[in-house]
Amino acid sequence: MLEFTGERVVPGLVDPNLFNEHLARYRFAAHFAGKMTSPRILDAGCGSGYGAAEFPRRAAVVAMDISADAVAHARGAFAGPCVEFLRGACETLPFADGTFDLIAAFEVIEHLEHWRSLLTEARRVLRNAGTLLVSTPNKAWYGESRAEAGANPYHVHEFEYGEFEAALREVFPHVRLWCQNHSETITFVPARDSRGSFEAPAALAPEESHFFVAACSASPIAETGAFAWLASSGNVLRERQRHIALLEKELAQNQAWLAETGDSLALLQKSHEGALAELEKSNLWAGELNGEMERARGVIAGLHQEIEGLHSGYQGQIARLDAEAATRLAWLADLEAQLERGRNEIARLNVENDQKEQTIVERTEWAQALDRELAGARAELDAIGRATLVRLGRRLNVVPGRAAGNSE
């Protein structure tokens, strides 16, 4: 079942008078279609789909609505061999030019932000002799009827009589308006279905009617007469009696429900009193618990103070240790610098020692060479000395030697 939102009419979920008010417009449209031969009809903004079933069986009906839920409900409740339901927007009709003989757009135009597009699109998809039947509530009367409830949140733009007629004539060269009023009448109806006369000597002025229903066409409109429809629920006295009986039944049910509710209320009262007793015990326990919690909060506060004191002391010690560590790091850095300088000095001295050792080696080799030269000189000198002594001894005849006359 389609949900009743308070705006879309759903058979069985709305007041019969409200439903008949809407259904009468489709009976009016069926009156138009009845004079056409195999008409092709578009129900633009079909809602729950009940209106599509009111057209003659020889008609091919396309019923369209923007709501996917409404279209799904309509397909399930009012599908037929000559009725097609589809989803679409009334401002952009998905049909070729000149497709339809009759378009019904009942209580749709006031819901559209771009309502003029409905009229221009209807003119486009209508055949030259086709007719648009469009209805809307009278803004003046509708505002008065909803004085306590406030403006209808589903309506975007409402029309008064003059504005509505002018808007239609901007698009269609031929426009004829009917005034729809839900009036109480006294009827004389034959036992069998028939047609008869309708007298309305006290009809209201168009500007004061409840709804406007207009026929718009590119061709002259032949239909000019008044139209009245007596619904199956049109017997006001009978419907009131049924309604009173229904209310009495509902009242009896409500009284039975009220008695059951009274018993339930007594049980609830008893349960409530027991709950209050338990609550009192819980409150006492909660009071004791609150006392313990207060004491615990005091202990916690003391611990927080101790922790803060310790934290402050630790922060001082940490700062002092950080300062000492910084001093020691500076000392270590200076010691490292001294060690580096010592290493560099040792390296320099090693180089100098290497140079000195090389010099010592060279000088040792030079001294050894001098010693060898000196030894040779001494040997040569000794030899020369011995030779000189020998010659001197020979000259002095002191040293034995060779015979006289054998001189060296």
Side-chain angles (χ1 to χ4, degrees), residues 67-110:
S67 169
D69 292 338
V71 171
H73 171 82
R75 285 172 180 164
F78 301 103
C82 298
V83 179
E84 176 187 2
F85 290 97
L86 58 87
R87 185 184 181 191
C90 295
E91 302 97 317
T92 54
L93 297 176
F95 306 105
D97 297 356
T99 300
F100 298 102
D101 299 291
L102 179 67
I103 297 176
F106 295 140
E107 306 306 285
V108 175
I109 192 170
E110 66 272 9

Side-chain angles (χ1 to χ4, degrees), residues 198-329:
F198 173 67
E199 296 182 7
L204 298 175
E207 294 81 2
E208 299 176 359
S209 63
H210 296 168
F211 297 88
F212 307 133
V213 181
C216 311
S217 178
S219 302
I221 299 169
E223 184 64 44
T224 60
F227 177 81
W229 175 63
L230 181 62
S232 60
S233 60
N235 190 328
V236 176
L237 293 178
R238 183 193 64 193
E239 291 302 315
R240 285 179 179 174
Q241 289 298 326
R242 288 181 176 177
H243 188 61
I244 290 172
L246 181 61
L247 290 177
E248 289 176 348
K249 181 179 179 180
E250 290 180 356
L251 180 59
Q253 291 176 346
N254 288 339
Q255 288 175 344
W257 174 80
L258 184 60
E260 293 177 359
T261 303
D263 295 338
S264 299
L265 182 60
L267 293 175
L268 288 174
Q269 182 65 29
K270 185 177 181 180
S271 176
H272 177 65
E273 292 173 356
L276 287 177
E278 291 294 329
L279 181 61
E280 184 64 25
K281 293 179 181 179
S282 298
N283 287 337
L284 292 174
W285 174 79
E288 295 175 357
L289 183 60
N290 284 335
E292 294 179 2
M293 290 181 65
E294 286 298 325
R295 291 191 293 273
R297 290 191 184 99
V299 173
I300 292 171
L303 291 174
H304 276 303
Q305 291 178 354
E306 291 181 9
I307 291 171
E308 289 177 358
L310 291 173
H311 180 72
S312 299
Y314 289 150
Q315 289 295 328
Q317 293 182 9
I318 290 171
R320 180 177 57 77
L321 292 174
D322 286 340
E324 292 180 0
T327 302
R328 291 181 181 180
L329 287 174

Side-chain angles (χ1 to χ4, degrees), residues 22 28 60 89 114 125 226 254 272 275 312 331 371:
H22 286 259
F28 183 64
H114 304 289
V125 301
N254 288 339
H272 177 65
S312 299
W331 176 77
D371 287 339

Side-chain angles (χ1 to χ4, degrees), residues 161-183:
Y161 181 79
E163 180 191 8
F164 187 54
E165 182 179 21
L168 299 177
R169 292 190 183 281
E170 288 178 1
V171 180
F172 291 91
H174 299 278
V175 176
R176 187 174 297 278
L177 280 97
W178 281 259
C179 299
Q180 180 186 355
N181 293 297
H182 199 152
S183 304

Side-chain angles (χ1 to χ4, degrees), residues 377-392:
R378 285 175 178 168
E380 186 177 352
L381 183 61
D382 289 340
I384 292 172
R386 285 194 300 269
T388 301
L389 290 174
V390 169
R391 285 194 300 270
L392 181 59

